[in-house]
Amino acid sequence: MDSRELRYFVAVAEELNFGRAATRLGIAQPPLSRTIQQLERRMGVTLFERTSRQVSLTTAGEVLLHEGRRALTALTAAERRTQRAGTRLVLTMKPHSDGGLLEKILTEYAASPSAVEVDVHICGIGEQGKLLREGEADAALLRFPHDDTEGFAYEELLTEPDAAVLPRTHRLADRESLTMADLAGEQLPHWPGNPPNGGPLVRDSGQLQQLIALGRTIALLPASTRHHLGPELAQVPVTDAPTSTLAIAWAEDSRSRPLAAFIQAAVQCAPR
Amino acid sequence: MDSRELRYFVAVAEELNFGRAATRLGIAQPPLSRTIQQLERRMGVTLFERTSRQVSLTTAGEVLLHEGRRALTALTAAERRTQRAGTRLVLTMKPHSDGGLLEKILTEYAASPSAVEVDVHICGIGEQGKLLREGEADAALLRFPHDDTEGFAYEELLTEPDAAVLPRTHRLADRESLTMADLAGEQLPHWPGNPPNGGPLVRDSGQLQQLIALGRTIALLPASTRHHLGPELAQVPVTDAPTSTLAIAWAEDSRSRPLAAFIQAAVQCAPR
DNA sequence: CGAATCCATACCTCCAGAGTATCGATTCCC
DNA sequence: GGGAATCGATACTCTGGAGGTATGGATTCG
C-alpha cells in the first residue's frame, strides 16, 4: 500500500465526507473518490458504506483507520528523527517534573563523547506520549503511575512520595506533616484524561499554582516540586501519600548513539 | 515522505549497493539513484556516504533505517489486518504452549456474538512477536519471561511451574520429584536468541522431543506440556523450578470487536 | 595501463494522478 | 409534490514524474 492512498483514506474516514476531505487534502473530489475506489479494489475489501447522502466506515475501514493512523505517525516520526539525527536531541517533560535531576543530567551528558545539543521541550500535561510517538521528541521524562507509557521503553530514575501543596493561608499550611485523612474534604484538581471529580480542570502547572493560590483547589505533587513553588504556596509532607516514580522513556526502536548516551547519563544521575 | 521512497531507501541501506538494490526492487539502477537523491534533497539530510566504489550509511541514514523499517512493517500490518477484518482472526502460538487452555478458549469464543473464524497458526520459537508486528497474526499466546513482548499489550492467563522432561530411560525418570540441584549436571538445550550454552540448538518442539528421546539434552518445560509428550518421554515435577506465565498478547493499537471478544474469552477461561 | 565496477547524468517514454464538467441519486423544504 | 441543494461517481483531458536506455566519470584491481 502506498502512504499517499492511506493519507487520503484517513482524511475521508475522519471527515466521512469526500468533498470536505478533498478540500482538507488540497485536491479535488473526483481524484479522491477514484483513489479510494482503487485502494479498495487493490486490497479486495470495501472500506466505506456509501449512499449518495452519507458515508460510513465498514468494519474493515475501522481497522484500517486505527492501524493506518499508527503507521502514518510512525512514518512522520521516522522522518523527523532522521532530520535531526546526530545534531540535536529533544527531551520533553512537564514543567517542574524533573525531580531536580535535569541540570545534573544535562551536565553529565554534555561530558559524553557523543553528546549533541539538547533541546528541552516543556509540554502540557499528558503530551509526552504524543510527542514521542510523532517523533517530535527523542526522550521524555514522565511519571508512573500518572503518565501513560504504552509502547515505550523506559528506565526508572527515582521514586518519591507526593506532598500536599496548599495556599500559605490554608488552615493546614503550617502543620509539620499531614496524613491523607487530613485531606479528605479538600478539593483536588481534575487532571485531563481522568474522570471528572468536581475539581477545576488543570492543563498546565502555572494554571494549577494559580488555582491553589486562589484557594480553589489543593494538589498532591511529587515532593521535589518544592523547589519551584511561589511564595504564596506551601508544601507539607503527607506521611501516607502515594509515591510516584520518575522515569526516562523513549520510542522503543529509536536508539541512536546520542540517545543511548543520554539515557545512560540520566540513569547515572539517578540516586541509587 | 512517500512509502515508495522509504522502501527504496531501505533496499539500498540493506544492500549498500545501488545496482543490487535496484535488481531486488525490480527496477533499473538510475531511477533508484535519482529517487534517493530526491529523498535526501526533500529531507535536507544526506543518508549515504558514497564514493564511486562503495556506499555507507550516515548517522541520519542509520536512524532512518531503523525507524523506517518499523514504519513499513506497521504499514503492511495495517494492510493485512484490514484484509481479514471481520472475517477471520489469526492466533499464533508455539506448539503445545497453550497451557491446555486452547480448546476451552476456542469454544468459549465461538459462543460470543461477534465471533469469527479463528485460524490457529503454529509458529516456530520466538516468532510470535514478528508475526504480530507484521500483521500476520492478531493475537499470540506467549510466555513470560521467555518470550519478548516489547510493544504489545497483554493479559496474563495462568502461571505454572516448569517440570523436567527426560527420556523414559533416564536415571531420574522414575523419581517422584526433583530439585534444580538434581539437574545441575544435565545438558540443557540452546534456545535461539539466548547465548550458546553448549547444548544443541532447538528450533521447534518436535526437534526438542527427538533430541530428548535420543538422550542429547533434557528440558525444563511448563508442566502443562505433559499432555503432549510421546511415550518415550517422561515428565517429573521439579519442586523449586522457576515458573512461567502464559499470556495472550496483541498489537496495542489493534482492538477490533472480534479481537476484543477473543481476548475476553481467553481471560474468562483462565483459572483465577 | 586496460578492464571492471559502480554511481551519476542526459534524455526519452508513458502512465497515473490531478483537474474540469457533468450525471445521478437522495434529501430537504417551501 | 417539485425544485433546489447536497454529495458521490463517471467521462474526459492534461501533465508531472517514475521508469527505461545509453553513457559518462571515478575508483580499484590485476
Side-chain angles (χ1 to χ4, degrees):
Chain A
M1 186 174 26
D2 183 17
S3 60
R4 184 190 59 95
E5 295 174 317
L6 186 53
R7 253 181 281 272
Y8 285 13
F9 165 79
V10 170
V12 176
E14 283 176 356
E15 298 284 347
L16 291 178
N17 178 313
F18 281 74
R20 275 200 303 276
T23 312
R24 201 175 98 182
L25 293 165
I27 63 169
Q29 170 258 317
L32 179 56
S33 286
R34 259 178 298 141
T35 303
I36 300 293
Q37 283 170 24
Q38 170 183 313
L39 177 62
E40 291 181 316
R41 202 159 357 101
R42 275 213 267 261
M43 295 189 61
V45 164
T46 18
L47 299 169
F48 294 107
E49 217 67 76
R50 45 266 236 195
T51 70
S52 62
R53 290 299 291 178
Q54 80 171 2
V55 174
S56 60
L57 279 168
T58 62
T59 311
E62 281 173 20
V63 170
L64 187 59
L65 179 57
H66 283 109
E67 308 234 348
R69 267 197 195 125
R70 169 67 60 107
L72 288 179
T73 64
L75 212 60
T76 65
E79 192 166 354
R80 290 193 179 123
R81 292 218 181 85
T82 301
Q83 282 175 330
R84 60 169 180 268
T87 71
R88 222 152 42 87
L89 216 52
V90 178
L91 172 70
T92 182
M93 55 181 283
K94 287 182 291 192
H96 313 322
S97 77
D98 65 329
L101 286 179
L102 182 58
E103 209 155 335
K104 204 169 150 204
I105 292 174
L106 292 177
T107 316
E108 173 79 23
Y109 173 65
S112 141
S114 54
V116 296
E117 194 189 330
V118 177
D119 290 358
V120 179
H121 181 111
I122 305 293
C123 70
I125 288 163
E127 280 185 358
Q128 294 109 316
K130 180 165 156 282
L131 292 169
L132 272 189
R133 252 185 286 274
E134 295 179 352
E136 300 274 15
D138 299 292
L141 288 177
L142 37 76
R143 271 184 192 277
F144 299 111
H146 308 309
D147 293 323
D148 183 31
T149 57
E150 264 208 332
F152 303 126
Y154 59 87
E155 289 277 351
E156 298 187 355
L157 298 182
L158 68 84
T159 300
E160 57 181 339
D162 284 351
V165 177
L166 312 166
R168 201 160 273 302
T169 57
H170 194 279
R171 65 187 169 87
L172 300 173
D174 294 323
R175 293 271 289 271
E176 273 299 304
S177 79
L178 300 170
T179 64
M180 290 300 281
D182 292 325
L183 300 172
E186 300 292 334
Q187 181 62 65
L188 291 171
H190 170 207
W191 301 102
N194 291 45
N197 60 355
L201 182 66
V202 168
R203 299 223 159 275
D204 67 69
S205 90
Q207 199 181 9
L208 177 61
Q209 297 207 8
Q210 196 124 51
L211 286 166
I212 296 174
L214 285 170
R216 302 295 176 86
T217 188
I218 69 159
L220 280 165
L221 296 178
S224 59
T225 50
R226 67 180 163 281
H227 306 301
H228 309 287
L229 296 179
E232 72 281 14
L233 300 183
Q235 191 189 61
V236 184
V238 177
T239 51
D240 57 347
T243 63
S244 71
T245 299
L246 181 70
I248 182 161
W250 63 96
E252 259 172 58
D253 46 355
S254 89
R255 200 105 207 230
S256 63
R257 208 175 324 283
L259 177 59
F262 188 81
I263 292 161
Q264 202 195 334
V267 171
Q268 266 173 27
C269 291
R272 250 141 302 200
Chain B
M1 187 173 26
D2 184 18
S3 62
R4 183 190 60 96
E5 295 174 316
L6 185 53
R7 252 181 282 272
Y8 285 10
F9 165 78
V10 170
V12 177
E14 283 175 357
E15 298 285 346
L16 289 178
N17 178 314
F18 281 75
R20 276 201 303 277
T23 312
R24 202 175 99 183
L25 293 166
I27 62 170
Q29 170 258 316
L32 179 57
S33 287
R34 258 177 299 142
T35 302
I36 299 293
Q37 284 171 23
Q38 170 183 313
L39 178 63
E40 290 180 318
R41 201 159 0 98
R42 276 212 267 260
M43 294 188 63
V45 165
T46 25
L47 299 168
F48 294 107
E49 218 67 76
R50 40 275 240 183
T51 71
S52 62
R53 292 298 292 178
Q54 80 171 2
V55 175
S56 59
L57 279 169
T58 61
T59 310
E62 280 173 20
V63 170
L64 188 58
L65 179 57
H66 283 109
E67 307 233 349
R69 267 196 194 125
R70 169 65 60 108
L72 288 179
T73 64
L75 212 59
T76 66
E79 193 165 354
R80 289 191 180 127
R81 293 217 180 86
T82 302
Q83 282 174 332
R84 59 170 183 270
T87 71
R88 223 154 39 87
L89 218 50
V90 178
L91 172 70
T92 183
M93 54 181 285
K94 288 183 290 192
H96 312 322
S97 78
D98 65 330
L101 287 180
L102 182 58
E103 208 155 335
K104 204 169 150 203
I105 293 175
L106 292 177
T107 316
E108 172 79 22
Y109 174 63
S112 140
S114 55
V116 295
E117 196 189 329
V118 177
D119 290 359
V120 178
H121 181 110
I122 305 293
C123 70
I125 288 163
E127 281 185 358
Q128 294 109 316
K130 181 165 155 282
L131 292 169
L132 270 190
R133 251 184 286 273
E134 295 180 348
E136 301 274 13
D138 300 292
L141 287 177
L142 36 77
R143 271 187 191 275
F144 299 111
H146 308 309
D147 294 323
D148 182 31
T149 57
E150 264 210 333
F152 303 128
Y154 59 87
E155 289 277 351
E156 299 187 355
L157 298 181
L158 68 85
T159 300
E160 57 181 340
D162 284 351
V165 178
L166 312 167
R168 202 162 272 301
T169 57
H170 194 280
R171 63 185 171 88
L172 298 174
D174 294 323
R175 294 270 289 272
E176 273 298 304
S177 78
L178 300 171
T179 65
M180 290 301 282
D182 292 323
L183 301 172
E186 301 291 335
Q187 180 63 67
L188 291 170
H190 170 207
W191 300 102
N194 291 45
N197 59 356
L201 182 66
V202 168
R203 298 221 160 275
D204 67 68
S205 89
Q207 199 182 7
L208 178 60
Q209 297 207 10
Q210 197 125 51
L211 286 166
I212 296 175
L214 285 170
R216 302 293 177 87
T217 188
I218 69 161
L220 281 165
L221 295 177
S224 58
T225 51
R226 66 179 166 283
H227 307 301
H228 310 286
L229 297 180
E232 72 282 14
L233 300 184
Q235 189 189 63
V236 184
V238 178
T239 52
D240 57 346
T243 62
S244 70
T245 299
L246 181 71
I248 182 161
W250 64 95
E252 259 173 56
D253 47 354
S254 90
R255 205 106 205 228
S256 63
R257 208 174 322 283
L259 177 59
F262 188 82
I263 291 160
Q264 201 195 333
V267 171
Q268 267 173 25
C269 290
R272 247 139 303 193

